[in-house]
Amino acid sequence: MIRFLVMIVALGVIGFGAFWLVTKPQTIDPEAISGIEPDLARGEAVFIAAGCASCHAAEGAQDEARLELIGGRPFPSDFGTFYAPNISPDPATGIGGWTAEDLANAMRHGTSPQGQHYYPAFPYATYTRASLEDIVALHAYLMTLPAVKWVNRPHDLRVPYNIRLSLGGWKFLFLKDDWILSDAPTPELERGRYLVEALGHCGECHTPRNALGGMDRSRWLAGAPNPTGRGTIPNITPAKLGWSEGDLMTYFTSGFTPDFDTVGGHMADVVENLKQMPESDLQAIIAYLKAVPPVE
Amino acid sequence: MIKKIAFGAAGLAVAASTVFAASHIDPAIAGAIKARQGLMQMQQLNAGILFGMAQDKVAYDAAAASTAASNLMILTTIDQSALWPQGSDADSLEGTRALPAIWTDYPDIVSKAEALNEAAVAMNAAAGTDLESLKAAIGPIGEACTACHKAYRQPQ
């Protein structure tokens, strides 16, 4: 009997050890970013393209206040409610103490400076493809924004989703840094792919998720239930989105659909960002949207 | 046993009446939803004529622009209080995208509606003058439409 118990415990230890080895929070190789010079203008462009303010600015913030990244916005989900954290450069309540390496670990691996897993409400399943040059530039830019003291509201999650350790399993299953559109034969398509799949995180809302919250890559951008409430986020693959390139450009720069309805909901925040992006980047996104596989 | 059957029958009755309630919308509420969606469509149609010209998709026509702007201005002055009865939100019913926050953020709704009216009044003064004036007045119209759709309309 005792032998049996010992065996069970030993198996448990081995099992947990294996789980830990496979799923422990990952970090980048610090050598990889040590030589990269931060470029502020590039950082601002990354900030806009990655849509940081859309979630981390306070709800309803306008204009200048959109640069006060105090978080607090709620994201209800099947797992409970997530609250966006303060990423202003306040050292005590924000990320003022973070190095570029910390930001790279957060964006590429969903790992906090304390070595904990982040929840994938923070779209690191997308940002994992971001280049280290862009992350170093973004870090430098974030540090120039107003520091605001604002204590984070803890996530309000149901059991067992409140156990961060389990996120290692989620990452093992769903955190992949290969491209979804494997073929990008022109520089424009390559740029569009990077903007959509690495920074813009369109797929986080427009792609359906499985029961564990992983994106269904076979239905990439094919529409999904609204993650934060009722209604549906539309299919934007060529099978359903019948808009011309000109229609898309008008929508990205003005928020108007071809029949003069306006953008609404969370997409209105996205259009705020798109309006500030260079036209060549918008063209690249449009080229990408025309190239993704049509899914009915 | 009999108790159990009675309980089950009561349960079925409750379930049946719930299904009935969900499929049966109060005609007064259904009418209000139809009316406000019609109002939105009339605004969209008239604003669309102005946006088409502002985006150089349609040739500028002073008379058509004036008519559309005048219609839009009148539409933004309609008292909508009868169009938004309690219980006609997207959480209560199918067939509407009106978020429940509309009924809790009333002062904000009023200020957003006023912004649209002001923009429409300015457009009414500008639309018939020339294309430049129309283009200068179009921005606030789009912003006013988006402000409400961003805060109070659920995605499709």
Side-chain angles (χ1 to χ4, degrees):
Chain A
M1 180 66 189
I2 286 178
R3 243 167 104 183
F4 177 72
L5 279 178
V6 167
M7 211 169 83
I8 289 289
V9 169
L11 277 177
V13 168
I14 291 168
F16 182 79
F19 174 81
W20 179 249
L21 268 181
V22 171
T23 70
K24 73 177 179 193
Q26 308 283 315
T27 53
I28 63 155
D29 172 11
E31 289 289 302
I33 64 161
S34 59
I36 302 172
E37 285 297 319
D39 174 342
L40 276 181
R42 181 176 186 159
E44 184 180 16
V46 174
F47 176 76
I48 291 164
C52 310
S54 304
C55 292
H56 290 282
E59 209 160 15
Q62 298 281 337
D63 308 319
E64 287 294 290
R66 283 186 93 238
L67 297 179
E68 295 178 1
L69 305 175
I70 60 170
R73 195 184 283 237
F75 293 89
S77 77
D78 293 344
F79 313 104
T81 300
F82 298 97
Y83 294 94
N86 182 345
I87 61 161
S88 85
D90 181 63
T93 60
I95 64 164
W98 283 30
T99 60
E101 189 186 333
D102 290 332
L103 185 64
N105 287 332
M107 290 175 68
R108 296 272 286 249
H109 298 293
T111 300
S112 78
Q114 292 76 35
Q116 277 196 314
H117 294 301
Y118 283 123
Y119 286 98
F122 171 43
Y124 56 78
T126 295
Y127 296 155
T128 190
R129 302 183 188 88
S131 75
L132 290 173
E133 287 76 12
D134 275 356
I135 293 174
V136 169
L138 175 62
H139 173 262
Y141 175 73
L142 288 175
M143 293 302 146
T144 68
L145 297 179
V148 187
K149 200 171 276 303
W150 187 271
V151 177
N152 286 334
R153 178 165 179 181
H155 302 317
D156 185 8
L157 302 177
R158 290 202 303 276
V159 180
Y161 307 114
N162 55 350
I163 302 169
R164 280 184 190 262
L165 205 61
S166 65
L167 290 164
W170 189 93
K171 288 179 180 177
F172 178 71
L173 293 171
F174 306 122
L175 182 58
K176 311 271 185 233
D177 64 1
D178 57 328
W179 298 110
I180 289 148
L181 184 70
S182 49
D183 248 3
T186 65
E188 185 177 62
L189 262 180
E190 211 173 306
R191 177 68 181 158
R193 181 175 69 175
Y194 182 76
L195 288 166
V196 172
E197 295 188 18
L199 297 184
H201 60 279
C202 315
E204 300 276 345
C205 289
H206 284 281
T207 299
R209 292 173 186 273
N210 58 31
L212 291 174
M215 280 182 267
D216 177 357
R217 292 164 65 122
S218 71
R219 297 190 58 76
W220 181 244
L221 303 181
N226 178 13
T228 58
R230 299 171 55 96
T232 314
I233 308 293
N235 182 333
I236 53 169
T237 71
K240 291 285 177 198
L241 185 63
W243 296 1
S244 70
E245 296 182 6
D247 292 339
L248 284 163
M249 187 57 89
T250 302
Y251 185 66
F252 288 172
T253 52
S254 72
F256 286 106
T257 67
D259 59 352
F260 301 110
D261 190 2
T262 72
V263 62
H266 209 71
M267 190 65 197
D269 285 312
V270 178
V271 169
E272 279 304 304
N273 298 323
L274 289 165
K275 276 180 187 170
Q276 301 175 62
M277 289 171 65
E279 203 182 315
S280 58
D281 274 356
L282 299 183
Q283 289 289 7
I285 293 173
I286 291 167
Y288 175 89
L289 290 175
K290 293 284 175 190
V292 293
V295 183
E296 285 297 331
Chain B
M1 185 62 188
I2 287 174
K3 228 180 185 174
K4 237 183 191 169
I5 290 171
F7 189 72
L12 275 180
V14 168
S17 66
T18 312
V19 169
F20 180 70
S23 65
H24 182 82
I25 298 174
D26 177 342
I29 287 186
I33 292 175
K34 254 192 203 159
R36 74 198 188 204
Q37 288 175 346
L39 176 59
M40 290 291 168
Q41 260 167 24
M42 286 172 76
Q43 290 179 341
Q44 182 179 339
L45 183 78
N46 285 285
I49 292 168
L50 301 165
F51 285 118
M53 293 181 194
Q55 292 172 3
D56 298 315
K57 285 182 176 158
V58 182
Y60 176 69
D61 173 335
S66 292
T67 306
S70 161
N71 283 344
L72 183 63
M73 182 180 71
I74 292 164
L75 290 168
T76 64
T77 60
I78 290 174
D79 183 318
Q80 297 192 26
S81 47
L83 305 188
W84 305 89
Q86 292 284 346
S88 65
D89 58 276
D91 272 2
S92 309
L93 300 169
E94 298 293 324
T96 174
R97 294 160 67 190
L99 291 177
I102 292 170
W103 285 265
T104 55
D105 299 355
Y106 189 66
D108 186 55
I109 298 279
V110 170
S111 84
K112 285 186 163 62
E114 280 170 357
L116 176 61
N117 175 249
E118 280 167 28
V121 168
M123 174 58 87
N124 186 51
T129 314
D130 55 26
L131 183 57
E132 283 312 297
S133 312
L134 184 154
K135 282 185 177 177
I138 199 80
I141 304 258
E143 281 165 29
C145 299
T146 305
C148 249
H149 291 160
K150 178 177 169 179
Y152 300 114
R153 183 176 69 174
Q154 87 172 19
Q156 274 138 13

